[in-house]
C-alpha cells in the first residue's frame, strides 16, 4: 500500500513567514506595483496549487511514487541521493530527488526557503529575489539561472508564485515545503540574453523526523520547461 501520502493531511492552518522561520526581503512593498489585480488573483491561486503539489510529490514514499507513475533513475553519490522521474503529457519530466542530511531540519529549511540566504550559496543562479508579497506566506519571486556549457545553454529566467507552508504527517514527522509554479507577468516580457522558462510544480520539502534532531530529509522537486533554443 502507498506510504504516508495516502494519509497525508491537506492544507493546515495559515502559517506566516515568521512562524516558519523564513527570512523575507521584498523588492516592492505591494504586488500591485508590478502586477494587475487579475494577475495577483491568478498568482494566489497558482501558489495554492503549488503548495498542494509540493507536499504531494515531496512527501511521497516509494509506493506513492510508483502509484503516480514515477520510475527510478540512476542514484547519485553512491546511492545517497535517490532520484525518480515521470514524463508529463507535454513531454517535460517531473523529477524528485531526495537525500538525508546531517543537519537539523530548521537549519536546512532556513538555508533553502529564505531567499536572501539561498541566493548567497546557490552558485547556479544569477539572480534570485522576492519581487513582492502576495499573502502572509506567499510571494512572487524572480529567478535567473546561470548559462551553462560555456554559454551554449543561455540563461533562463522565471517568475514564480511561491508559497511556504508546514504539514504535520501522521507518522509524527514534520514537513516544511516551499513550492511554486511559473506565472505570466505582463510588466516584464523578457530581458536581454535571457530566455523565459516555465516551471510547473517545483520546489523543496524538508522533513524533520520525530526522533532525531540532528538530521533531516531534503526532497527537491522540479518540472522545468527551458523553452527556446539552447543558446
Amino acid at each position: 500500500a502507498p506510504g504516508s501520502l495516502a494519509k497525508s493531511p491537506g492544507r493546515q492552518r495559515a502559517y506566516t513567514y515568521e512562524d516558519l522561520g523564513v527570512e523575507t526581503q521584498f523588492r516592492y512593498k505591494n504586488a500591485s506595483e508590478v502586477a494587475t489585480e487579475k494577475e495577483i488573483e491568478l498568482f494566489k491561486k497558482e501558489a495554492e496549487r503549488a503548495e498542494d503539489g509540493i507536499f504531494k510529490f515531496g512527501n511521497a514514499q516509494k509506493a506513492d511514487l510508483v502509484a503516480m507513475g514515477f520510475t527510478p533513475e540512476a542514484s547519485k553519490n553512491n546511492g545517497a541521493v535517490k532520484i525518480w522521474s515521470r514524463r508529463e503529457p507535454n513531454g517535460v519530466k517531473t523529477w524528485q530527488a531526495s537525500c538525508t542530511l546531517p543537519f537539523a531540519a530548521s537549519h536546512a529549511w532556513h538555508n533553502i526557503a529564505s531567499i536572501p540566504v539561498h541566493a548567497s550559496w546557490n552558485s547556479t543562479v544569477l539572480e534570485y529575489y522576492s519581487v513582492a508579497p502576495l499573502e502572509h506566506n506567499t510571494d512572487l519571486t524572480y529567478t535567473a539561472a546561470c548559462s551553462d556549457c560555456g554559454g551554449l545553454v543561455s540563461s533562463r529566467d522565471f517568475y514564480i508564485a511561491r508559497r511556504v507552508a508546514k504539514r504535520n504527517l501522521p507518522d509524527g514527522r514534520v514537513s516544511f515545503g516551499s513550492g511554486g509554479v511559473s506565472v505570466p507577468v505582463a510588466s516584464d516580457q523578457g530581458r536581454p540574453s535571457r530566455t523565459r522558462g516555465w516551471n510547473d510544480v517545483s520546489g523543496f520539502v524538508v522533513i524533520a523526523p520525530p526522533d532525531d534532531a540532528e538530521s533531516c530529509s531534503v526532497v527537491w522537486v522540479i518540472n522545468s520547461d527551458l523553452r527556446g533554443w539552447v543558446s
Side-chain angles (χ1 to χ4, degrees):
S4 64
L5 182 67
K7 303 176 183 178
S8 181
R11 285 190 294 275
Q12 296 172 5
R13 76 174 181 83
Y15 292 99
T16 66
Y17 291 111
E18 291 75 18
D19 290 336
L20 297 171
V22 175
E23 286 185 36
T24 55
Q25 183 176 326
F26 302 112
R27 289 287 178 95
Y28 298 92
K29 184 177 180 180
N30 298 302
S32 59
E33 297 180 69
V34 293
T36 66
E37 183 177 340
K38 185 176 181 180
E39 285 180 320
I40 292 170
E41 287 307 307
L42 171 65
F43 299 167
K44 291 177 182 179
K45 182 179 294 185
E46 287 295 87
E48 183 175 293
R49 182 171 73 86
E51 177 190 346
D52 289 340
I54 200 64
F55 283 118
K56 176 181 178 181
F57 296 133
N59 291 334
Q61 297 181 13
K62 181 178 179 180
D64 304 315
L65 291 167
V66 170
M68 290 189 287
F70 281 79
T71 57
E73 301 275 349
S75 59
K76 302 293 184 181
N77 292 4
N78 296 318
V81 180
K82 303 292 193 300
I83 303 173
W84 294 74
S85 72
R86 181 179 75 180
R87 182 77 65 179
E88 304 298 344
N90 65 354
V92 177
K93 276 189 173 183
T94 296
W95 298 84
Q96 193 245 49
S98 62
C99 65
T100 299
L101 295 180
F103 305 114
S106 59
H107 177 75
W109 171 246
H110 178 75
N111 279 272
I112 290 172
S114 298
I115 288 179
V117 180
H118 188 134
S120 71
W121 61 260
N122 190 340
S123 61
T124 68
V125 297
L126 290 171
E127 288 187 87
Y128 184 30
Y129 58 84
S130 291
V131 179
L134 299 171
E135 293 182 293
H136 54 272
N137 64 344
T138 307
D139 56 1
L140 175 67
T141 72
Y142 175 80
T143 308
C146 295
S147 60
D148 205 351
C149 300
L152 290 176
V153 180
S154 62
S155 173
R156 260 58 177 176
D157 67 355
F158 306 83
Y159 276 103
I160 301 291
R162 180 187 74 135
R163 178 172 289 179
V164 294
K166 170 184 172 183
R167 295 190 181 181
N168 298 309
L169 302 180
D171 59 6
R173 296 177 301 156
V174 179
S175 180
F176 299 87
S178 173
V181 297
S182 283
V183 290
V185 178
S187 61
D188 185 348
Q189 290 298 307
R191 307 189 184 189
S193 73
R194 294 179 183 175
T195 300
R196 184 63 43 84
W198 194 264
N199 285 357
D200 202 2
V201 174
S202 300
F204 294 89
V205 166
V206 176
I207 302 173
D211 55 355
D212 186 355
E214 299 304 323
S215 73
C216 65
S217 298
V218 174
V219 184
W220 178 49
V221 176
I222 182 72
N223 175 304
S224 190
D225 183 354
L226 298 181
R227 297 185 169 181
W229 298 98
V230 295
S231 62

